[in-house]
Amino acid sequence: MSWITIRTTSARWEAELMQQILSAYDIPSRVLDIGLGIYCGQGSQAALQVRRQDQWTALLLLSSPEE
């Protein structure tokens, strides 16, 4: 299975929240720790990944609504 990163955050909880949103739509995702920010006082940096075939659906679901 091929995974692609669609978002990076400076807080792991943000990535986990986005993962829960995708899970509600049955889109498999995973959260990876990507940095040492927690040791520098910035929180735990994380990346949200989805399968390549779900990339555009996930990006649409996580985008902000248009005005």
Side-chain angles (χ1 to χ4, degrees):
M1 191 177 320
S2 179
W3 295 87
I4 186 164
T5 300
I6 59 169
R7 290 275 169 93
T8 57
T9 68
S10 59
R12 183 176 174 86
W13 67 266
E14 284 182 90
E16 290 173 349
L17 179 62
M18 290 184 275
Q19 183 180 35
Q20 289 178 5
I21 293 169
L22 295 176
S23 177
Y25 290 94
D26 296 322
I27 297 175
S29 61
R30 63 185 184 181
V31 175
L32 302 173
D33 289 320
I34 59 169
L36 300 175
I38 194 165
Y39 300 109
C40 301
Q42 299 174 347
S44 177
Q45 296 177 344
L48 178 66
Q49 293 186 334
V50 296
R51 295 179 306 178
R52 188 171 294 281
Q53 62 265 30
D54 295 324
Q55 174 185 3
W56 297 111
T57 304
L59 286 171
L60 181 62
L61 287 170
L62 297 175
S63 66
S64 50
E66 295 181 357
E67 294 181 13

